[in-house]
Amino acid sequence: MTAADSGSAMPEPITVPPFAVIPGAQVRRALQGREKQMVELVEATYRLHGAGDSVNPPSYFLRFPDRPSSRIIALPASIGGQVRVDGLKWISSFPGNVAAGVPRASAVLILNDHDTGYPFACLESSIISATRTAASAALAADWLSRGRERPARVGFFGVGLIARYIHTFLAGTGWSFDEIGVHDLSAGHAAGFRSYLEQSGTAGRITVHDRAEQLIRSSDLVVFATIAGQPHVTNLTWFTRDALVLHVSLRDLAPEILLASVNFVDDIDHCLKASTSPHLAEQLTGNRDFLSGTLDDVMAGRVTVPAGRPVVFSPFGLGVLDLAVGKYVYDEVARSGELQVIDGFFHELRRYG
Ligand SMILES: NC(=O)c1ccc[n+]([C@@H]2O[C@H](COP(=O)([O-])OP(=O)(O)OC[C@H]3O[C@@H](n4cnc5c(N)ncnc54)[C@H](O)[C@@H]3O)[C@@H](O)[C@H]2O)c1
């Protein structure tokens, strides 16, 4: 009996896509100066995720008994919509690198073909990861400050690579500040960030604060990008009444501060894990009532942002964002005709030889 006899259609012929490697220089070229576009892409991806057109299982944390401060995280994900790609980000955090002047985080992103499952690209992904993180922070700053006075004094608490990207994304999406505060445990890191700010051409007055309290008291928008493992900011009175807090490093704020604030996350189940401050707040209260919702809830108009209390955004960081930005990079590099394909990467392509 043929397929036609049985009434079923012949299967579509499928082809295995070529496998490409995209190094950091190409990634950077594809993303440079595209801050607005990346914020729009992240917004669209949050909306897709909110609508359920994604698969984003929990991140897996690989930890090492002999290197307790280091970790490698796997973020598998699948995204629908027009992006339609599956994949995995594999990102290491080795804080000891920083003393030697080497970035803490390094990463690759694997993109898998929707139809065959075959991996079709391996991309340098520390830039993609920093880009999606900063784009998400800029998006949150925009949406969570709508309808209130736009912050004019920003404070960066912990100033490594992520803080630099967040500043670039805020500036690249139209934010300007009268005052830019900087605080870091390391005077050298604070000085490095200051010189980055000066070179960026910002018009704001830059102040390095030795004390955390000074930074927070003099900021309407506070960006946390430290590598703290446990809360170290415990005093709610340091924050201005309507402070907007981008809690990107997730573990800086005592749970009591969250309980007295308005809280938004990117994804509730993801964020209430791994001893983040929202996770500690849930453990302290035994419930999730302190959460007002997700950023997607705000964007969709399901939740409004109340005034009169600090607003804290704690984004766990979703693999779907890496996929969306990574696929954008792949398409750009392919369009430019500069895709570096590894011929014959997959060798066993006939089942019986
Ligand atoms: N939520 C997300 O989606 C997401 C994504 C990427 C990175 N991150 C987080 O962002 C953070 C920053 O990443 P990075 O690559 O810029 O790290 P980094 O190591 O380059 O910089 C961190 C900086 O924070 C400073 N610091 C550490 N503890 C501090 C403290 N208690 N007070 C003040 N300063 C302190 C360090 O001296 C350093 O300069 C990390 O915690 C990382 O996990 C979050």
Side-chain angles (χ1 to χ4, degrees):
M1 193 171 67
T2 64
D5 294 337
S6 71
S8 63
M10 288 288 285
E12 290 280 317
I14 57 169
T15 47
V16 169
F19 184 79
V21 172
I22 302 185
Q26 285 189 324
V27 174
R28 193 171 168 74
R29 226 174 299 134
L31 293 176
Q32 194 130 35
R34 305 277 168 86
E35 288 85 11
K36 281 197 182 122
Q37 244 169 301
M38 287 306 104
V39 171
E40 282 165 14
L41 180 61
V42 164
E43 174 168 348
T45 308
Y46 276 145
R47 288 185 195 272
L48 271 183
H49 181 65
D53 198 2
S54 66
V55 186
N56 204 126
S59 304
Y60 182 82
F61 286 64
L62 179 66
R63 298 187 187 278
F64 318 99
D66 60 332
R67 290 157 291 165
S69 71
S70 300
R71 63 176 191 229
I72 312 182
I73 311 178
L75 291 86
S78 173
I79 181 165
Q82 290 176 340
V83 181
R84 230 170 70 117
V85 74
D86 313 323
L88 172 77
K89 177 168 78 169
W90 181 232
I91 182 162
S92 320
S93 170
F94 279 55
N97 292 355
V98 170
V102 175
R104 176 188 62 78
S106 57
V108 292
L109 176 70
I110 300 290
L111 298 179
N112 290 76
D113 179 40
H114 179 274
D115 295 332
T116 59
Y118 269 75
F120 64 91
C122 175
L123 297 88
E124 192 290 327
S125 200
S126 67
I127 298 170
I128 290 169
S129 184
T131 294
R132 64 78 148 145
T133 303
S136 145
L139 181 72
D142 177 17
W143 277 97
L144 298 178
S145 65
R146 290 185 186 189
R148 17 167 94 199
E149 202 174 327
R150 192 111 158 153
R153 303 179 304 161
V154 65
F156 288 94
F157 198 127
V159 286
L161 186 105
I162 293 296
R164 167 158 71 81
Y165 267 74
I166 292 175
H167 175 265
T168 302
F169 269 76
L170 289 170
T173 52
W175 288 80
S176 63
F177 300 101
D178 302 335
E179 308 264 348
I180 303 182
V182 175
H183 172 71
D184 198 289
L185 287 182
S186 153
H189 297 181
F193 192 72
R194 179 185 197 124
S195 79
Y196 149 75
L197 287 171
E198 285 164 356
Q199 281 163 29
S200 77
T202 178
R205 192 160 65 105
I206 304 164
T207 309
V208 173
H209 297 281
D210 296 334
R211 289 174 41 226
E213 177 178 355
Q214 289 169 329
L215 178 94
I216 293 174
R217 282 194 187 279
S218 52
S219 305
D220 313 308
L221 172 61
V222 187
V223 179
F224 281 95
T226 73
I227 49 162
Q230 284 151 14
H232 54 97
V233 173
T234 55
N235 196 331
L236 179 73
T237 65
W238 291 1
F239 292 86
T240 61
R241 204 175 69 106
D242 280 321
L244 178 54
V245 182
L246 303 177
H247 187 211
V248 177
S249 36
L250 294 167
R251 297 176 185 86
D252 302 276
L253 299 174
E256 292 78 6
I257 291 191
L258 297 197
L259 296 179
S261 305
V262 181
N263 292 282
F264 293 99
V265 296
D266 51 356
D267 180 294
I268 292 174
D269 288 331
H270 280 257
C271 203
L272 297 187
K273 282 205 176 84
S275 301
T276 63
S277 299
H279 189 199
L280 300 184
E282 181 187 35
Q283 287 169 339
L284 194 63
T285 59
N287 63 56
R288 297 178 169 188
D289 297 350
F290 64 96
L291 289 177
S292 292
T294 63
L295 186 57
D296 182 53
D297 289 331
V298 177
M299 297 190 312
R302 287 187 293 269
V303 176
T304 50
V305 184
R309 274 182 293 156
V311 174
V312 181
F313 178 56
S314 301
F316 196 72
L318 301 178
V320 285
L321 299 186
D322 296 286
L323 283 188
V325 175
K327 182 62 168 37
Y328 172 89
V329 170
Y330 178 87
D331 289 343
E332 283 293 296
V333 177
R335 210 168 44 84
S336 72
E338 288 169 7
L339 211 51
Q340 297 177 35
V341 168
I342 309 294
D343 286 325
F345 185 82
F346 292 106
H347 188 62
E348 284 282 10
L349 287 176
R350 286 206 300 259
R351 291 190 70 222
Y352 298 110

